Amino acid sequence: MPTVLDSIFNIFRPASYPKDNTTEPAQITRSKVLVIVYDPIMDKTTGVKLSKYLKWYDPSDLLVNFISDITEVSKGLVRYEIVQRIDVNEFPAKTDGFRYTPQTFLDVWNRTAAPHTPQEVNYAAILTQFNVLNRIARSEIDEVWIFGFPYAGFYESTMGGPGAFWCNAPPLANTANSKRRFVVMGFSYERGVGEMHESYGHRAESILEKTFSKLTGDANLWQRFIRYEKSAPGKAACGNIHFAPNSQVDYEWGNMTPVKSECYDWLLNFPNFKGDTRIVDASEWGGGEIRAHHKWWFRHFPRVMGRKNGIHNNWWQYVAAPQQVIL
């Protein structure tokens, strides 16, 4: 039955919002990705690259596992395709034009020198060098994933294009020529797949926050989804990317304290909640392992048919395609 809030929303519904229904299918989002890997040669004699020189992760392995995980947790509703990978033998330029050399970078890594400031990478130069805006406009690519390293200066995620909004970082300036919103992810091959999910999770938080920003109270399902015991005593749901349902501090995914949560109601019954609350602890989400927790959290994102208050019941089609968010 429609609630009073539903009736009010329907009266004042923005003209751009689609009408509610219960049968609109959940869309599969197919996203074409340009991957740029900054992995400079550290020794010209041997040709060894930074990732191997410091015994970090192989970007190829990270990509395979990350894409596999996203396909799994979205139940196939997000399908990423790498249409091009570009390996770059250089340190990317900062906003003031500075570039590390192999030696100056190692000095910073070994803490014998301070990191360069400003630390932020020159996104505008990268977008120009790789013709990103035109390629987005022509639908050759849908987003960009950049692999870097500590002190490279990349945000975990940032958004460009017309109507770009905060995506765990300020929007990219002067990018309206792309004609569509797009995300640039910043990954690090010094870290693992779990940390890639961390970056993607913050992207999801920003996009879903914006998706539900016109709704208040019980109609704002995103605010209900991210409740955890410390923030909403007795009303824990699924928490956020940093806080599990029973976390007391940031990144505490191994807390074994039992807590009542409606996470199963989200997983099994959405959008027709049945009041299914259960006692859960960290054994549900991997006992503290970052990748396990983040996959658990993503699995609870709604991904079913229908639309309510103008927003589809499949949240993945916003997370993976921010151009779908109605501003």
Side-chain angles (χ1 to χ4, degrees):
M1 293 291 292
T3 66
V4 173
L5 285 174
D6 293 337
S7 299
I8 293 173
F9 182 83
N10 286 326
I11 292 172
F12 297 101
R13 176 190 305 275
S16 58
Y17 267 53
K19 293 182 179 180
D20 293 351
N21 68 70
T22 59
T23 59
E24 181 183 345
Q27 298 175 9
I28 294 173
T29 300
R30 303 178 189 274
S31 189
K32 293 173 284 190
V33 182
L34 168 64
V35 175
I36 303 170
V37 182
Y38 284 94
D39 197 4
I41 291 174
M42 301 297 284
D43 185 331
K44 292 182 179 179
T45 303
T46 63
V48 64
K49 295 182 178 181
L50 176 59
S51 59
K52 290 188 177 180
Y53 187 87
L54 289 176
K55 297 181 172 60
W56 290 339
Y57 291 93
D58 185 331
S60 297
D61 293 339
L62 293 174
L63 283 167
V64 168
N65 285 287
F66 176 73
I67 291 174
S68 176
D69 281 359
I70 294 298
T71 304
E72 174 192 336
V73 298
S74 70
K75 295 293 185 182
L77 288 175
V78 178
R79 303 184 185 182
Y80 282 115
E81 176 192 2
I82 298 172
V83 295
Q84 185 180 15
R85 170 175 166 169
I86 303 172
D87 288 84
V88 186
N89 177 26
E90 65 182 21
F91 290 87
K94 304 293 188 180
T95 53
D96 63 353
F98 172 85
R99 294 180 190 266
Y100 286 112
T101 66
Q103 188 56 56
T104 58
F105 175 77
L106 290 175
D107 289 343
V108 172
W109 180 248
N110 293 322
R111 300 187 179 182
T112 60
H116 177 79
T117 55
Q119 293 197 40
E120 184 181 348
V121 77
N122 190 334
Y123 278 100
I126 293 171
L127 296 179
T128 298
Q129 180 181 357
F130 299 106
N131 199 27
V132 169
L133 300 185
N134 287 331
R135 297 189 70 183
I136 293 284
R138 295 195 296 260
S139 296
E140 294 175 11
I141 59 174
D142 299 302
E143 59 183 272
V144 182
W145 296 353
I146 302 178
F147 277 93
F149 40 83
Y151 310 111
F154 292 105
Y155 292 118
E156 291 180 287
S157 63
T158 183
M159 189 181 296
F165 51 86
W166 176 272
C167 190
N168 202 34
L172 294 166
N174 303 315
T175 55
N177 287 344
S178 68
K179 299 182 181 179
R180 296 184 295 142
R181 284 178 227 139
F182 64 96
V183 174
V184 177
M185 297 299 304
F187 297 128
S188 173
Y189 47 73
E190 183 254 342
R191 312 200 78 183
V193 178
E195 285 79 13
M196 294 179 73
H197 288 311
E198 175 96 3
S199 299
Y200 196 86
H202 287 308
R203 161 193 175 149
E205 289 174 331
S206 294
I207 291 173
L208 292 171
E209 180 74 26
K210 190 69 172 180
T211 301
F212 284 90
S213 62
K214 292 183 175 69
L215 302 176
T216 60
D218 291 342
N220 191 318
L221 292 171
W222 170 245
Q223 291 300 319
R224 177 174 173 177
F225 180 87
I226 62 175
R227 290 174 186 163
Y228 53 96
E229 180 64 19
K230 186 176 181 180
S231 68
K235 297 181 179 180
C238 301
N240 60 38
I241 199 68
H242 278 185
F243 281 77
N246 64 354
S247 297
Q248 292 296 305
V249 295
D250 265 343
Y251 311 109
E252 188 185 47
W253 305 307
N255 192 332
M256 296 302 295
T257 303
V259 66
K260 184 174 71 172
S261 166
E262 63 175 19
C263 58
Y264 277 96
D265 221 7
W266 282 90
L267 182 67
L268 303 176
N269 303 317
F270 181 89
N272 302 308
F273 295 113
K274 297 180 180 179
D276 185 350
T277 58
R278 307 186 192 188
I279 302 299
V280 297
D281 58 34
S283 62
E284 296 269 342
W285 48 82
E289 202 276 320
I290 180 174
R291 182 177 179 184
H293 168 265
H294 293 352
K295 289 179 66 177
W296 175 91
W297 189 68
F298 286 134
R299 284 192 191 99
H300 288 73
F301 279 18
R303 49 175 183 262
V304 297
M305 72 175 72
R307 189 181 290 270
K308 181 72 175 293
N309 292 331
I311 297 171
H312 205 282
N313 291 334
N314 170 28
W315 291 2
W316 286 103
Q317 62 195 57
Y318 302 111
V319 173
Q323 62 269 23
Q324 300 294 326
V325 179
I326 300 172
L327 300 180

